Amino acid sequence: MEGDATQSGGTGSQTEGTGWPSGGTDCVRLHSETRADGTTIIRQAASLSAYPRCMTERFMHWAAQDPDRLWMAERGADGDWMRVSYGMGATAIRAIGSALLARGLSAERPLLILSGNSLSHALMALGAQHVGIPSAALAPAYALSGGDRGKLTQVAEQLTPGMIFVDHAAKFIPAIDAVFASDVALVCQSGTSPLREVLSYDSLLSTPPSVKATEAHAAIGPETVAKFLFTSGTTGSPKAVIQTQRMLCANQAMVAAAYDFLADEPPVLVDWAPWNHTASGNKVFNMAIYHGGTYYIDDGRPTPDDIGKTIRTLREVAPTWYFNVPLGYQYLLDAMERDDSLADRFFSRLRMMMYAGAGMGQPVWDRLTALAAGKVPGGVPIVSGLGATETGPFALYYTEKKDHPGNIGFPAIGVTLKLVPHQDKLEARIKSPSVTPGYWRNPALTAAAYDEEGFYKLGDALRYASPGDPAAGFIFDGRLAENFKLATGTWVAVGALRAALVNAMGGLISDAVIAGDARDDLRALLVPNWTALRAVAGMPEATPAQTLAHPAVRTALAERLTAHAQAAAGSASRVVAARVLEAPLSFDKGEVTDKGSVNQRAVLRERADLVAALWSNDPAVIMAEPKGKWG
């Protein structure tokens, strides 16, 4: 079957009386071809526009055109904003690049960055990238988690870095000195090590630009390695994903075509998500550079302890495009529904909200939609998409208004989506100029990542939002590696079930881990929303144990679990028992990523005792009440 599917309407240019921005899907033509074996190939008919040869070429464009334009701001220790313009940034990038070349750094001896988001982190990464030296940003927890430093050791063995950068070295020195050879120099703003050469960050900034650096920048091409991003997937072992200049630049051309309102005015971004992850480290970070926008580093996080910092920043800076994980939106809603001035500020020039990292429940979606509609005529688009570290990440997207969360859209311009029948699902595979050439120094893993036609195998299953109609978008249908069979032989689509259960629990939980491999029924470990549970208990300061012991909390959880179970169509979509996780998920054990998403397989592995207890008489287990006998 061949044909064109057209998605019409829904966005249009923003005009008086509507908050919907032009997003590139008002007239999308999709070409779809289904082969005899059931495989379907889907792509947009339009071609991808030209893009620069490297990302810092775009940075230097803005520095030349408007050197005083604000590029990035970071809150200082005194609470005031430290600001770097495009002109200041360009000077620093050239100096740092010259210094790194003089120290002999290269793809074989790259720059390792062990700091959180900061101005100095950004300039070090771009300085390296400007002269063809890759950098690799790691989650600080790799060095600070207090474990056996196994992941950090694996990274050191894969990369063989020639230099390490940290903002302030003191807390990182024990791990650095334990893992890295003494001939690897350290660059920092403060701190020292008795075992290695330590260079000051300021000394790099004062390096005169060199002819060698100019020549190195001119030699950069599409295949030049810009950076490495580490991903562990379901294995827990870090893998260095190669990120070329073609990947970064082509991906931004795709974003620009999809979110064409970004061309109307330079975006203003307020972002907490870590740069060692592709969502922010590639997409959001480079969105500012590509469009001459401004990036405010949010020093908060979507946690009870740190959301206050995010709220403080959003009182001062109104974003035009905003990203968060669903739990982060939940915390912001709790604050904005109580504080109208905060909501007014947040929505004052907002053109789009994006969520990713986990499925958004309908209760959070409804609250966010209602609040946006009350502040902006016509509301504000709430969008999502699908991508991976290996895809740039931008691959599938949508921009038109929808009534429910879960739709991840259709292929971006330049992306070809391949859907391959797998059991009773459709496995998604991607080909585009922003797909990685592979894993650094790991040819076997690289070879296994692609099919015979060169499509990258995402490992995700998708289903049509509207059967047979790609223009209506796709729904994420779970990680294939997470799915399992019940004792009856029935497959369980874990991703879809997790989203359904979270939705059914009405905001009392933020995520769920599904158990039941080779069992007769399904049960779950629930990741709690402590704010909502404490509100049910009427005890805002209660400990987790006190909260879970409160009769009103147990009743509320049991009622919602029962409603979910009784409405389920069959055993593969019905969770009949659950318990709330009192202890937080552990990054060190791989249970949760640095961006807050839950690793289903790691939680099941690390909490095997709690999983086993789900099928016991443990009083902590909450049972759904059957309506007659389960079908």
Side-chain angles (χ1 to χ4, degrees):
M1 178 181 70
E2 291 190 34
D4 288 334
T6 303
Q7 174 74 42
S8 301
T11 53
S13 299
Q14 182 165 326
T15 58
E16 186 176 357
T18 176
W20 296 104
S22 175
T25 56
D26 49 335
C27 189
V28 170
R29 293 180 60 244
L30 295 175
H31 178 81
S32 176
E33 174 189 351
T34 300
R35 299 171 178 171
D37 65 356
T39 296
T40 302
I41 304 293
I42 302 168
R43 60 175 173 78
Q44 287 202 41
S47 299
L48 189 63
S49 299
Y51 44 86
R53 67 183 175 92
C54 65
M55 192 54 63
T56 58
E57 185 177 90
R58 195 69 175 162
F59 195 107
M60 297 305 169
H61 163 79
W62 297 115
Q65 184 181 93
D66 188 1
D68 295 329
R69 180 184 298 186
L70 179 60
W71 162 55
M72 185 171 284
E74 174 188 9
R75 198 180 293 279
D78 60 0
D80 291 337
W81 289 103
M82 301 182 295
R83 306 171 189 269
V84 173
S85 68
Y86 277 90
M88 295 165 60
T91 299
I93 287 167
R94 293 188 180 103
I96 291 170
S98 299
L100 297 183
L101 276 180
R103 301 290 303 193
L105 269 67
S106 66
E108 301 301 320
R109 300 182 67 247
L111 172 68
L112 185 67
I113 298 175
L114 255 179
S115 286
N117 301 357
S118 68
L119 288 169
S120 53
H121 176 157
L123 290 168
M124 287 293 292
L126 289 173
Q129 196 179 124
H130 187 66
V131 294
I133 297 170
S135 65
L138 294 186
Y142 275 36
L144 302 178
S145 61
D148 62 5
R149 302 182 178 124
K151 288 187 177 182
L152 190 60
T153 300
Q154 291 172 343
V155 168
E157 293 171 347
Q158 288 184 63
L159 285 190
T160 58
M163 180 180 288
I164 301 168
F165 170 75
V166 296
D167 277 317
H168 302 287
K171 60 185 179 180
F172 294 96
I173 288 297
I176 291 172
D177 287 349
V179 171
F180 297 94
S182 59
D183 63 347
V184 179
L186 176 66
V187 176
C188 56
Q189 295 187 61
S190 66
T192 187
S193 166
L195 300 182
R196 68 190 66 247
E197 181 183 11
V198 178
L199 306 170
S200 74
Y201 172 69
D202 287 344
S203 71
L204 269 65
L205 288 179
S206 62
T207 303
S210 66
V211 173
K212 185 179 180 180
T214 301
E215 293 172 345
H217 176 69
I220 292 174
E223 305 306 323
T224 302
V225 180
K227 62 197 291 191
F228 301 106
L229 283 172
F230 278 87
T231 180
S232 59
T234 58
T235 66
S237 179
K239 301 175 295 186
V241 184
I242 299 168
Q243 311 281 300
T244 66
Q245 290 290 349
R246 174 183 283 116
M247 286 180 66
L248 302 187
C249 296
N251 213 233
Q252 284 303 313
M254 294 172 188
V255 172
Y259 305 154
D260 58 10
F261 65 90
L262 293 173
D264 296 343
E265 60 179 333
V268 177
L269 309 169
V270 177
D271 193 42
W272 63 267
W275 295 340
N276 55 277
H277 185 270
T278 185
S280 194
N282 274 3
K283 182 184 175 184
V284 185
F285 185 93
N286 288 330
M287 270 175 59
I289 294 172
Y290 205 83
H291 297 279
T294 300
Y295 190 120
Y296 286 86
I297 299 173
D298 174 12
D299 58 347
R301 286 180 71 85
T303 67
D305 293 335
D306 289 330
I307 193 63
K309 297 177 182 178
T310 293
I311 291 170
R312 175 179 64 169
T313 295
L314 291 175
R315 290 189 190 281
E316 299 176 22
V317 182
T320 60
W321 185 95
Y322 188 72
F323 165 83
N324 215 324
V325 296
L327 183 59
Y329 281 114
Q330 182 175 293
Y331 286 129
L332 291 179
L333 283 165
D334 292 342
M336 288 191 289
E337 288 169 346
R338 297 191 304 265
D339 186 339
D340 205 48
S341 63
L342 173 63
D344 286 341
R345 179 67 167 164
F346 179 73
F347 286 103
S348 61
R349 56 181 179 182
L350 192 63
R351 306 291 297 274
M352 180 175 284
M353 292 180 283
M354 182 173 186
Y355 72 94
M360 179 178 283
Q362 190 70 42
V364 174
W365 176 278
D366 290 342
R367 291 169 65 194
L368 193 56
T369 300
L371 187 62
K375 298 299 179 182
V376 180
V380 175
I382 307 170
V383 306
S384 193
L386 180 70
T389 307
E390 290 85 350
T391 68
F394 195 71
L396 272 70
Y397 79 103
Y398 72 90
T399 60
E400 72 277 10
K401 185 177 181 181
K402 297 188 182 299
D403 296 326
H404 305 282
N407 196 308
I408 54 173
F410 41 74
I413 293 177
V415 173
T416 302
L417 172 65
K418 183 178 183 179
L419 298 174
V420 180
H422 180 92
Q423 297 158 357
D424 60 344
K425 295 189 175 296
L426 295 173
E427 178 194 350
R429 302 179 184 181
I430 294 291
K431 183 184 285 188
S432 86
S434 59
V435 168
T436 181
Y439 302 95
W440 186 243
R441 295 172 174 168
N442 198 329
L445 192 63
T446 297
Y450 306 89
D451 70 11
E452 67 283 355
E453 294 183 294
F455 283 81
Y456 172 71
K457 295 183 285 189
L458 280 165
D460 296 329
L462 306 183
R463 60 181 171 86
Y464 289 90
S466 178
D469 181 11
F474 291 88
I475 306 296
F476 178 72
D477 207 15
R479 293 283 297 168
L480 294 174
E482 291 181 345
N483 296 342
F484 58 82
K485 287 183 179 181
L486 289 167
T488 59
T490 303
W491 277 101
V492 177
V494 170
L497 180 55
R498 284 170 70 181
L501 182 59
V502 170
N503 190 46
M505 297 304 288
L508 297 183
I509 66 172
S510 60
D511 212 327
V513 174
I514 308 299
D517 191 2
R519 297 272 192 171
D520 293 329
D521 57 30
L522 297 174
R523 308 195 176 201
L525 300 175
L526 307 179
V527 181
N529 173 359
W530 289 118
T531 300
L533 292 175
R534 288 180 177 121
V536 171
M539 300 188 302
E541 305 299 326
T543 66
Q546 291 170 336
T547 303
L548 295 180
H550 196 283
V553 170
R554 290 189 62 85
T555 297
L557 290 168
E559 288 177 348
R560 286 164 174 76
L561 183 63
T562 295
H564 154 80
Q566 292 184 356
S571 60
S573 59
R574 177 189 299 119
V575 175
V576 302
R579 71 176 296 162
V580 176
L581 291 174
E582 187 172 339
L585 299 176
S586 169
F587 171 88
D588 196 30
K589 295 178 179 179
E591 293 180 324
V592 63
T593 70
D594 49 288
K595 67 183 178 69
S597 59
V598 177
N599 184 332
Q600 158 102 5
R601 292 179 65 183
V603 175
L604 294 175
R605 179 185 67 240
E606 297 296 329
R607 310 207 185 201
D609 56 335
L610 297 183
V611 172
L614 288 169
W615 283 268
S616 72
N617 294 321
D618 190 325
V621 176
I622 298 168
M623 300 295 298
E625 292 292 332
K627 186 177 182 181
K629 184 178 180 181
W630 297 126

